[in-house]
Amino acid sequence: MHPAFSVIFLTTLIGAGQGMFLALYTGQIYSVFNLVPGQDSHTFYGYGSLLALIFLAMGLLASFFHLGHPERAWRSAAKWRTSWLSREVIVLPSFMGMTFIYGLAHFTGYNPVLFSISDVYVVDLTLLLGFLATGLAFLLFLCTAMIYACIKFLQEWATPLTVVNYTLLGLASGFTLATVFASYAGIQLVSFYAGWAITLTVIAAITRTASLLRNSRIKPKSTMTSAIGIRHTKIQQKSRGFMAGSFNTREYFHNVSAALFKSIKWIFPILVFILPVIILSSGMATNSFAIYAFAFAVQYVGLIAERWFFFAQANHPQNLYYQTI
Amino acid sequence: MKQLALVIDLNVCVGCHACVTSCKEWNTSGTAGSLSDFNPYEEDPTGTFFNRVQTFEIGEYPNTETVHFPKSCLHCEEPPCVPVCPTGASYKREEDGIVLVDYDKCIGCKYCSWACPYGARELDENQKVMKKCTLCVDRIYDETLPEAERKPACVLACPTSARLFGDVKDADSVVSETIRENGGYQLMPEWGTKPANHYLPRRKTRLTIHEDELTRVDNPLNKERQLPMPDEDEQTLDDVMSW
Ligand code: SF4
Ligand code: SF4
């Protein structure tokens, strides 16, 4: 497939936004159980939610560049019964809304206690709001990934690993972002988040490698024989029927050299997994904002390469019909 | 239930592209807007088409066979392009099984084109909506046209009648009969899309002529003849009559 930058930015930005929110909420839950020091509602959770929202909004904005008719985008909520894209279109704004409410409750300090468990663990409003937003965040990972995983003849995508990887990569980048944020606004949580970011990055490295291994072994189900229905082992296209360009020759081929394609396959794991883990670990010694920010920047650039590769690697069966001019 | 479709005979198609040009001509002149072209006379031209004829070589030189292969939307009975559409712009008609795009609802997200394994859909770069073969829905029901012309433009244009049009769900229709009797098949059956369009395979027509058939020993007129038999180059009654 031809990687579209609008979709690359959409999926990586909202992934980081979702991960950022989940990091905030993880911190809040830990503080309820007194495992980490509680943070200031206003400056930490309030501004943290704002940061998550900025990433989500940038992702949403990027998605509009993918559409031929962005002014009709509202129509895309119609077919949620059958279309994962439609479901994503509903869940993304719902999650953003819930994150906004969660952030607002923290920001304004409106946080009545709902109940407490054995007088020790206090459950307040933001904990409930955050719980709902968490559900939506995971639902959004599912919707985004299923858009790709549900097309069964794009065999590189049609695997549960797609959902696993979208979720883990979003979480890893979000927790790295939370580390950067904490080094600025909540210094006590820096190593907590950095530890999580490293753990998630390592797990994501394992699952993404698993999908790379799986994809390198794929045997395409569609062949020249099934494409034109002629039973012969030697079929060669002599003409695709036109010499000009067309949608079919643009949309489904990545059109970069084999060497560049191969090199990105090796570059993205270094940028997404290896370097961030090294930089985050070295950052933990100094807790410097700049080092963490660098780790996030490297990982994010790596994710752009990762997503590019995800699209470019998918081999659409229609390409069988467009092999030669 | 009705399912309109094309049956394309690969044994007959000569690869002349008449269906391609007539399709483009008809569909670019319709009320739904043109099928846009860009840089038609310059470097790097591009344009929107519903139908293409491709050419394949089967076998190894010198024992090869050339197959011309017209390809357009197959109007699948289980079209994977329809449920993925977030707006409902892509739909399959209940009444005749034609798969269509509502250009007023389409947001141009291209998701349906990813979900078609055959590459039958093209985004019109001018109108920014998804387009594909409509089976000439705007002419097959047009009662101002003479009955014989209420067929897709490609079918009418084909000089060798390689394209048949009809209801593949009606067992008595010409298309159903042809599919049945000439080994009609569907493309990429492995994805369960159940294309409505069918293709007929290349067929070898061989005629075996035996010696006695050439000398016409069974000619009934011979009975009344006087013996001996005439010479080879002497005229027979047939030779006299058939001019
Ligand atoms: S050929 Fe492609 S566009 Fe046409 S109905 Fe089948 S899946 Fe849809
Ligand atoms: S491009 Fe148009 S028809 Fe295709 S899925 Fe998107 S909205 Fe539906």
Side-chain angles (χ1 to χ4, degrees):
Chain A
M1 301 291 292
H2 177 77
F5 275 97
S6 48
V7 182
I8 292 177
F9 281 116
L10 161 71
T11 54
T12 51
L13 286 169
I14 63 172
Q18 286 158 267
M20 172 73 202
F21 165 78
L22 291 167
L24 286 180
Y25 191 60
T26 310
Q28 191 181 354
I29 300 237
Y30 270 64
S31 69
V32 169
F33 291 101
N34 295 320
L35 296 170
V36 298
Q39 298 297 316
D40 182 59
S41 258
H42 185 83
T43 55
F44 190 78
Y45 294 112
Y47 283 116
S49 304
L50 180 66
L51 184 60
L53 274 173
I54 289 173
F55 272 81
L56 293 166
M58 286 194 299
L60 185 62
L61 183 71
S63 76
F64 281 97
F65 288 96
H66 186 68
L67 304 183
H69 282 278
E71 78 284 2
R72 297 180 189 162
W74 57 272
R75 284 188 181 277
S76 56
K79 291 287 169 182
W80 55 271
R81 281 192 191 80
T82 60
S83 169
W84 283 103
L85 178 53
S86 187
R87 289 172 199 159
E88 186 193 39
V89 164
I90 295 170
V91 175
L92 175 57
S94 315
F95 171 62
M96 289 177 75
M98 199 43 100
T99 306
F100 177 75
I101 297 171
Y102 170 83
L104 193 69
H106 270 303
F107 194 77
T108 55
Y110 178 74
N111 193 10
V113 172
L114 299 177
F115 58 90
S116 61
I117 302 166
S118 52
D119 289 333
V120 188
Y121 308 125
V122 182
V123 175
D124 49 27
L125 181 68
T126 55
L127 211 57
L128 176 71
L129 292 173
F131 180 74
L132 296 175
T134 301
L136 288 169
F138 280 105
L139 201 58
L140 184 53
F141 279 129
L142 180 72
C143 292
T144 309
M146 279 310 287
I147 290 175
Y148 309 103
C150 78
I151 304 178
K152 54 186 170 184
F153 47 79
L154 284 167
Q155 289 169 270
E156 288 83 355
W157 295 352
T159 155
L161 277 174
T162 302
V163 180
V164 172
N165 286 329
Y166 267 76
T167 309
L168 285 171
L169 289 168
L171 284 172
S173 61
F175 273 77
T176 309
L177 181 61
T179 314
V180 183
F181 177 68
S183 71
Y184 177 76
I187 206 74
Q188 295 153 310
L189 290 188
V190 174
S191 29
F192 168 72
Y193 282 135
W196 266 109
I198 291 171
T199 314
L200 288 162
T201 303
V202 171
I203 301 175
I206 295 169
T207 60
R208 190 64 176 96
T209 309
S211 85
L212 283 177
L213 287 177
R214 171 191 178 273
N215 289 354
S216 66
R217 268 151 228 224
I218 279 184
K219 189 168 170 286
K221 271 198 199 163
S222 288
T223 59
M224 237 25 266
T225 303
S226 75
I228 65 171
I230 297 207
R231 287 161 178 264
H232 200 290
T233 46
K234 280 239 158 24
I235 303 177
Q236 225 191 347
Q237 184 167 48
K238 287 291 165 187
S239 159
R240 67 180 185 216
F242 53 96
M243 295 167 80
S246 80
F247 182 73
N248 303 74
T249 59
R250 284 189 299 270
E251 183 72 6
Y252 305 92
F253 295 89
H254 55 67
N255 288 334
V256 303
S257 68
L260 180 60
F261 177 76
K262 255 220 172 94
S263 58
I264 291 180
K265 181 178 183 173
W266 291 105
I267 290 170
F268 90 73
I270 297 174
L271 292 178
V272 178
F273 306 120
I274 301 175
L275 286 180
V277 168
I278 296 173
I279 304 171
L280 283 169
S281 328
S282 66
M284 281 166 90
T286 55
N287 273 351
S288 125
F289 173 78
I291 291 184
Y292 289 129
F294 181 56
F296 177 74
V298 169
Q299 192 168 43
Y300 186 74
V301 171
L303 276 175
I304 293 176
E306 187 274 336
R307 227 29 66 88
W308 185 93
F309 189 80
F310 172 81
F311 285 105
Q313 197 189 25
N315 190 15
H316 200 288
Q318 80 104 36
N319 293 0
L320 289 169
Y321 299 108
Y322 298 89
Q323 294 182 47
T324 185
I325 289 181
Chain B
M1 231 191 58
K2 192 174 170 188
Q3 172 68 61
L4 295 179
L6 296 171
V7 173
I8 296 166
D9 193 343
L10 299 184
N11 199 40
V12 175
C13 174
V14 291
C16 70
H17 293 247
C19 53
V20 178
T21 49
S22 63
C23 165
K24 176 86 172 178
E25 199 281 329
W26 175 263
N27 286 296
T28 204
S29 328
T31 46
S34 64
L35 297 183
S36 59
D37 288 320
F38 291 86
N39 311 325
Y41 304 109
E42 288 141 57
E43 209 184 322
D44 203 13
T46 181
T48 316
F49 283 75
F50 291 169
N51 180 33
R52 295 288 199 181
V53 177
Q54 309 188 316
T55 303
F56 295 87
E57 191 174 87
I58 320 290
E60 218 161 333
Y61 182 82
N63 300 317
T64 55
E65 189 172 14
T66 303
V67 171
H68 301 292
F69 176 84
K71 176 170 87 79
S72 55
C73 168
L74 307 167
H75 299 277
C76 303
E77 284 180 50
E78 300 287 344
C81 56
V82 167
V84 299
C85 174
T87 63
S90 215
Y91 64 105
K92 185 172 177 71
R93 306 211 315 175
E94 284 288 326
E95 63 268 36
D96 53 15
I98 300 182
V99 176
L100 289 177
V101 180
D102 183 337
Y103 299 157
D104 294 329
K105 276 193 192 163
C106 174
I107 56 172
C109 68
K110 307 186 214 166
Y111 193 25
C112 55
S113 70
W114 296 9
C116 165
Y118 309 99
R121 297 178 161 241
E122 297 190 15
L123 188 88
D124 187 302
E125 296 290 349
N126 180 38
Q127 262 173 291
K128 298 281 181 203
V129 294
M130 198 49 75
K131 295 193 173 177
K132 59 178 274 307
C133 161
T134 65
L135 272 185
C136 286
V137 72
D138 52 346
R139 70 175 293 148
I140 58 178
Y141 294 111
D142 187 349
E143 292 185 355
T144 61
L145 291 172
E147 177 111 35
E149 282 179 31
R150 289 181 215 155
K151 284 181 180 170
C154 57
V155 175
L156 294 171
C158 181
T160 60
S161 301
R163 307 175 75 92
L164 304 177
F165 169 69
D167 179 5
V168 291
K169 279 284 145 91
D170 170 5
D172 299 326
S173 67
V174 175
V175 282
S176 298
E177 193 187 306
T178 317
I179 292 169
R180 242 188 348 256
E181 295 182 353
N182 293 325
Y185 63 85
Q186 297 165 316
L187 303 183
M188 293 188 192
E190 61 270 25
W191 303 119
T193 53
K194 294 199 198 150
N197 282 11
H198 282 66
Y199 286 77
L200 304 181
R202 298 300 296 263
R203 301 181 288 286
K204 289 279 172 288
T205 316
R206 287 216 170 78
L207 191 62
T208 316
I209 301 174
H210 298 286
E211 189 70 14
D212 54 350
E213 287 166 336
L214 285 173
T215 52
R216 303 205 51 161
V217 283
D218 56 341
N219 188 343
L221 295 177
N222 280 348
K223 275 205 170 145
E224 277 79 47
R225 287 192 68 90
Q226 285 194 332
L227 293 171
M229 292 282 275
D231 288 340
E232 284 277 326
D233 48 6
E234 196 181 314
Q235 280 197 336
T236 65
L237 190 57
D238 273 2
D239 293 329
V240 180
M241 308 277 291
S242 59
W243 39 268

